[in-house]
Amino acid sequence: MDVADLPGVPDWLPDHLHDDGIEELYPPQAEAVEAGVTEGENLVASIPTASGKTLIAELAMLSSVARGGKALYIVPLRALASEKQADFEEFEQYGLDIGVSTGNYESEGGWLADKDIVVATSEKVDSLVRNDAPWIEDLTCVVTDEVHLVDDGERGPTLEVTLAKLRRLNPDLQTVALSATIGNAEALATWLDAGLVDSDWRPIDLQKGVHYGQALHLEDGSQQRLSVQNNEKQTAAIVRDTLEDDGSTLVFVNSRRNAEAAAGRLANTVRPHLTDEERGQLADIAEEIRDVSDTETSDDLADAVADGAAFHHAGLSRGHRELVEDAFRDRLVKVVCATPTLAAGVNTPSRRVVVRDWRRYDGSAGGMAPLSVLEVHQMMGRAGRPGLDPYGEAVLIASSHDEVDELFERYVWADPEPVRSKLAAEPALRTHILATVASGFARSREGLLEFLAQTLYASQTDDSGQLERVVDDVLTYLQRNDFLEIEGGELDATSLGHTVSRLYLDPMSAAEIVDGLRDWERGVSDSTSASGSPADTPAEPPADSGFTTASELAEDADGSDDTNADPDDISALGLYHLVSRTPDMYQLYLRSGDREEYEMELFEREDELLGPTPSEFEEGRFEDWLSALKTARLLEDWATEVDEATITERYGVGPGDIRGKVETAQWLLGAAESLASEVDLDAARAISEARIRVEHGVREELVDLAGVRGVGRKRARRLFQAGITDRAELRDADKSVVLAALRGRRKTAENVLENAGHRDPSMDGVEPAADVSVDLDDGADTDTDAEAAANEDQSSLGDF
DNA sequence: CTGTTTACGTTCTAGACAGCATGTC
DNA sequence: CTAGAACGTAAACAG
């Protein structure tokens, strides 16, 4: 189909596409147009990655906007939100306004109501609906990217429920769903009352194959000699072979450690193939990588990149990831060893893809479980860069002759699994039922079931009994925890329930937080008489934690004599532990040796924790308690200015993991603050301080300084060392002292002074004061007892 | 005696959304 | 119902 013949699109679009070199639509795109995407028709497109999904989305959204509407593009990842934003911003020249909204980023200027196209994550859209964003009703078109993720047990239900809500709010809403090729695209189409484009067509050829011995067996039956030399591993042989053809390789492995190890080894394979010019450019990138963070991970990555190899996983910080992705796209880095981050994330195509590991550890499966066909196909789909490579090749690695056949059967010739809704599970329904009632989508049990009948789950099951049972369980749970009230068959969210829904918390997290804070107030009053060995039975009365009702709490709050609880005495560690044991926080893994270490830690600091420690005989709960303690200790270290390198080593995490934990803690502590005032608990001040400390990664005395824009944990500490202890002092500080404290960086000093509100921030003619020491390592380690103790523990335990 | 290879036992395991109000080194 | 790569340490071995 010629782009000039597109019905319903804005006048400028055909010319725009011509300028981009697009004359003809790809076959699946043409099918989509025939199915009416540009004329407001619903559509499900199940097609391979890189076969022109984005243009289908654009056709739908632009034509809808041209009719005076407003479009929403839903993505599963924040990183994809910014990628799509960049894509769509090229339409701004035609007067369209693009906006982005994710948890950590919101388009500046102009509220989203003024935007023509909004890009957001599914959770953010859900949150916007819960918070009654007025513009939601103006939507005329919603495009969902990667809908096959409704199959995901954790996040799929959100997508499913959110789509159902959007469609109920606006019955005329055009729904376009883009999916990877899946086994049951027609089921999605049925659910969404949509036309279907289901195609395997790709703009460039993809050859799948299996490597074994000295040969690469391809799916068309041909064989290609690909010999493994001396001690070389199969992967190295493939990388070398690709290199000889001047191509790059993406290698998928099943763990971070494997990714790092493989990158280190493959660096030796790549090194001899680099030109001097490449070596120079790579050295520069390696330096940039070292500048991102001063950790072992960072050093290892830099070493590999200097040789043209890299690894990529979620332990890397954002900066690392972007540097690696860009260098790979620029063809400087020749091989990237990655965990699935790269399969689902931003677009990083490659001549060849190697899927080295096809099994991955899965605790719930009791060992290594095979990857799904869909996941392997997603990885393989990264092979072949449109317009750059003549074809793509995706290779599985077999270690025996039998495995060759197995891999062909299992992955090369196999169809992807059908997508199945995971909605009828308690954790998912807990949060979505509360939200559905709180935002008025249902007012009764029957209304709820009627709403849920619009979901994919309902369209996929004949057994409505299962759903009803879980719904009833969840209603009971929500009622007992005072999130919902049921009166005369009418469902209503309590004030607490509304707050929880708006905060986007799992109700179970909210219950844990409220119980923990409440417990602390009770505990403080008790401990005036019984402060003693923390290892004895806890002083707190036994609270059946998950099921303490908030009405009980309310009684305690106004009824019993006000305790002399001093909420300021809640330790930061206690609060970090409280939010870390919540289902909204990913737990750190307990390694061997950790168990003893944190049992000891628990013994020493149990009285700082909020709520009773579970019995050691409750295996699961006790384990969770300990690993929450490990997470809490990490957060405490961060908020005590322990440096990144020490934290990554001490907890066996990467720099990106610290960021992730800190971000989550920040969010949950913010929510805890709201909850505390909601149920009239007096802890808000302590929570707020713990949150700000973890946000900036500073001790108490730096909280004020670190709040100044341009001042983080390091600069705040330096200023403090130089005798400037708060923002007010900074405002009137001796400029030479500030300059010295900031190590003579004039521009930085000027910025900082300006942001602090200094009358005359100019550093012209100012010389750094000679008597100001800026040696961080001596100064920052004014350890608290806890920190010092932790350090000792660390070394002594480590020696065993 | 010392450096290198081999054998065997132990260890450990992917990813990442969200409030609110503005900005790290 | 289900694993396997990486690494540390000890043993074997070569020079």
Side-chain angles (χ1 to χ4, degrees):
Chain A
M1 181 181 289
D2 193 298
V3 295
D5 306 330
L6 293 171
V9 300
D11 304 336
W12 50 263
L13 188 63
D15 285 337
H16 177 85
L17 292 176
H18 274 291
D19 293 347
D20 274 0
I22 301 174
E23 308 280 339
E24 285 268 314
L25 293 185
Y26 290 155
Q29 295 167 340
E31 275 185 62
V33 171
E34 277 153 27
V37 246
T38 57
E39 293 163 308
E41 296 295 327
N42 294 344
L43 181 79
V44 169
S46 170
I47 55 181
T49 21
S51 59
K53 269 188 227 165
T54 304
L55 183 55
I56 295 181
E58 288 169 350
L59 290 173
M61 296 193 296
L62 293 173
S63 55
S64 196
V65 170
R67 289 189 294 271
K70 181 185 181 79
L72 174 65
Y73 190 92
I74 303 179
V75 292
L77 259 38
R78 289 179 195 165
L80 290 173
S82 23
E83 194 186 47
K84 287 303 165 190
Q85 174 189 30
D87 284 353
F88 301 153
E89 269 173 356
E90 65 175 318
F91 301 125
E92 289 191 330
Q93 55 178 310
Y94 304 106
L96 272 78
D97 254 338
I98 316 297
V100 185
S101 179
T102 65
N104 65 348
Y105 178 78
E106 188 104 36
S107 306
E108 72 299 326
W111 179 229
L112 297 168
D114 303 329
K115 307 291 182 184
D116 300 300
I117 297 177
V118 175
V119 183
T121 55
S122 34
E123 284 77 9
K124 186 64 187 191
V125 176
D126 187 16
S127 170
L128 289 164
V129 172
R130 294 183 189 196
N131 289 285
D132 296 319
W135 54 269
I136 291 282
E137 287 171 21
D138 303 334
L139 290 175
T140 55
C141 174
V142 58
V143 179
T144 309
D145 202 0
E146 319 278 355
V147 243
H148 55 271
L149 292 174
V150 290
D151 191 75
D152 182 283
E154 252 177 273
R155 297 181 59 204
T158 302
L159 182 53
E160 193 179 337
V161 167
T162 301
L163 274 180
K165 282 182 181 170
L166 291 176
R167 284 158 59 78
R168 168 173 275 210
L169 279 172
N170 187 346
D172 297 327
L173 185 69
Q174 178 187 13
T175 310
V176 176
L178 308 174
S179 169
T181 40
I182 53 171
N184 60 337
E186 77 290 338
L188 294 181
T190 306
W191 166 45
L192 296 171
D193 313 305
L196 175 63
V197 173
D198 192 358
S199 159
D200 282 334
W201 187 90
R202 284 178 53 104
I204 46 167
D205 232 22
L206 174 63
Q207 273 284 324
K208 296 176 187 153
V210 176
H211 184 264
Y212 174 65
Q214 309 292 326
L216 177 56
H217 306 257
L218 293 168
E219 61 183 318
D220 61 10
S222 71
Q223 277 190 31
Q224 196 176 311
R225 185 172 170 76
L226 206 167
S227 49
V228 177
Q229 299 171 357
N230 350 318
N231 286 340
E232 192 180 55
K233 303 227 174 191
Q234 281 165 279
T235 307
I238 296 169
V239 167
R240 189 174 40 72
D241 183 78
T242 319
L243 236 27
E244 282 160 9
D245 198 23
D246 208 24
S248 51
T249 312
L250 189 50
V251 182
F252 286 105
V253 298
N254 65 0
S255 76
R256 293 179 180 189
R257 195 166 60 154
N258 286 348
E260 296 187 13
R265 276 196 312 268
L266 290 171
N268 299 321
T269 307
V270 177
R271 195 183 303 118
H273 290 265
L274 297 172
T275 66
D276 286 342
E277 195 196 340
E278 287 173 329
R279 251 184 276 274
Q281 289 172 293
L282 285 165
D284 292 344
I285 298 171
E287 261 333 287
E288 283 185 68
I289 288 172
R290 283 182 219 279
D291 284 345
V292 170
S293 120
D294 184 28
T295 56
E296 206 185 322
T297 312
S298 194
D299 280 341
D300 292 348
L301 181 60
D303 288 345
V305 165
D307 286 335
F311 53 88
H312 190 285
H313 58 64
L316 297 182
S317 66
R318 240 181 96 80
H320 287 144
R321 289 203 223 179
E322 277 168 16
L323 285 166
V324 169
E325 289 157 16
D326 290 345
F328 189 61
R329 263 192 295 265
D330 293 344
R331 313 191 68 182
L332 277 170
V333 163
K334 310 293 182 186
V335 53
V336 173
C337 303
T339 57
T341 8
L342 220 55
V346 293
N347 191 28
T348 45
S350 168
R351 168 81 60 84
R352 253 189 187 146
V353 166
V354 173
V355 181
R356 196 195 71 176
D357 303 331
W358 56 279
R359 283 188 275 234
R360 182 165 53 218
Y361 179 82
D362 176 0
S364 65
M368 301 298 271
L371 304 187
S372 72
V373 179
L374 180 60
E375 198 175 347
V376 170
H377 282 189
Q378 291 270 89
M379 294 174 183
M380 293 179 136
R382 296 267 127 150
R385 298 166 306 165
L388 291 170
D389 292 325
Y391 59 93
E393 264 178 1
V395 185
L396 287 149
I397 304 287
S399 55
S400 71
H401 194 270
D402 286 348
E403 203 178 326
V404 176
D405 295 337
E406 176 173 8
L407 291 176
F408 264 99
E409 291 285 320
R410 190 187 271 277
Y411 295 115
V412 177
W413 291 321
D415 289 325
E417 303 71 9
V419 162
R420 295 205 59 90
S421 165
K422 302 289 193 294
L423 183 64
E426 201 167 321
L429 282 180
R430 213 159 49 210
T431 180
H432 288 299
I433 285 181
L434 176 58
T436 300
V437 173
S439 37
F441 281 90
R443 306 206 160 279
S444 65
R445 179 178 176 278
E446 286 63 41
L448 204 48
L449 290 169
E450 187 199 320
F451 170 75
L452 291 173
Q454 296 172 1
T455 59
L456 173 65
Y457 178 84
S459 75
Q460 285 194 321
T461 183
D462 297 325
D463 175 21
S464 59
Q466 164 70 5
L467 187 61
E468 272 186 59
R469 275 191 299 278
V470 186
V471 165
D472 287 334
D473 287 350
V474 168
L475 284 177
T476 308
Y477 172 85
L478 292 173
Q479 200 186 358
R480 289 178 68 178
N481 283 279
D482 198 34
F483 297 127
L484 286 185
E485 282 169 346
I486 307 179
E487 257 185 52
E490 181 139 325
L491 288 175
D492 229 334
T494 62
S495 163
L496 177 61
H498 273 111
T499 302
V500 171
S501 169
R502 277 187 284 105
L503 289 172
Y504 212 79
L505 282 178
D506 183 332
M508 194 173 259
S509 298
E512 186 75 41
I513 290 170
V514 169
D515 286 355
L517 293 174
R518 167 56 57 198
D519 231 83
W520 175 262
E521 287 207 351
R522 280 196 291 236
V524 169
S525 63
D526 291 355
S527 65
T528 46
S529 53
S531 70
S533 53
D536 286 348
T537 47
E540 294 83 352
D544 48 343
S545 77
F547 287 93
T548 307
T549 69
S551 42
E552 275 173 41
L553 300 179
E555 269 168 45
D556 284 338
D558 10 311
S560 59
D561 60 337
D562 235 2
T563 65
N564 51 357
D566 182 355
D568 288 348
D569 282 349
I570 301 184
S571 80
L573 182 82
L575 292 167
Y576 297 151
H577 186 262
L578 181 63
V579 296
S580 296
R581 66 192 201 227
T582 258
D584 277 309
M585 176 81 89
Y586 288 87
Q587 305 263 338
L588 283 180
Y589 185 86
L590 280 187
R591 298 179 298 182
S592 76
D594 278 359
R595 182 162 173 123
E596 296 89 289
E597 181 179 351
Y598 289 100
E599 265 179 38
M600 199 105 97
E601 185 81 23
L602 177 62
F603 179 82
E604 280 167 25
R605 306 188 65 182
E606 190 174 15
D607 53 347
E608 289 182 50
L609 305 187
L610 286 66
T613 299
S615 148
E616 288 194 45
F617 304 109
E618 282 181 89
E619 236 345 282
R621 292 236 303 131
F622 189 70
E623 287 278 304
D624 285 352
W625 199 263
L626 285 183
S627 71
L629 182 57
K630 184 176 176 181
T631 311
R633 285 282 290 111
L634 183 153
L635 293 168
E636 188 187 44
D637 276 357
W638 175 251
T640 334
E641 294 166 54
V642 177
D643 65 272
E644 231 187 347
T646 309
I647 297 180
T648 51
E649 203 224 307
R650 192 176 286 172
Y651 300 94
V653 297
D657 297 304
I658 302 180
R659 269 281 23 117
K661 290 283 175 284
V662 166
E663 230 172 66
T664 309
Q666 227 175 292
W667 164 54
L668 287 171
L669 287 167
E673 219 175 311
S674 307
L675 284 176
S677 55
E678 173 68 40
V679 299
D680 230 13
L681 288 164
D682 211 14
R685 222 196 61 81
I687 299 174
S688 172
E689 188 182 293
R691 177 179 55 79
I692 295 171
R693 281 187 51 201
V694 87
E695 174 180 352
H696 298 298
V698 295
R699 288 166 190 270
E700 197 176 336
E701 68 263 25
L702 296 189
V703 163
D704 191 46
L705 273 179
V708 176
R709 190 194 308 172
V711 180
R713 63 196 317 230
K714 295 192 176 154
R715 288 175 186 171
R717 179 51 68 188
R718 291 200 179 98
L719 290 166
F720 194 85
Q721 292 270 293
I724 300 167
T725 61
D726 61 26
R727 185 188 289 247
E729 283 178 31
L730 180 56
R731 205 153 33 223
D732 304 319
D734 183 339
K735 283 200 259 182
S736 64
V737 173
V738 174
L739 187 57
L742 298 174
R743 297 186 299 176
R745 308 281 159 83
R746 275 166 206 283
K747 191 87 188 99
T748 306
E750 283 177 4
N751 274 334
V752 166
L753 283 189
E754 192 181 342
N755 293 330
H758 198 283
R759 273 172 275 101
D760 170 28
S762 165
M763 280 286 157
D764 291 343
V766 178
E767 286 307 317
D771 56 338
V772 175
S773 150
V774 291
D775 189 354
L776 252 192
D777 295 75
D778 287 340
D781 272 305
T782 45
D783 283 355
T784 63
D785 304 37
E787 171 60 18
N791 281 333
E792 280 166 32
D793 279 359
Q794 186 62 27
S795 48
S796 56
L797 280 169
D799 290 341
F800 273 102

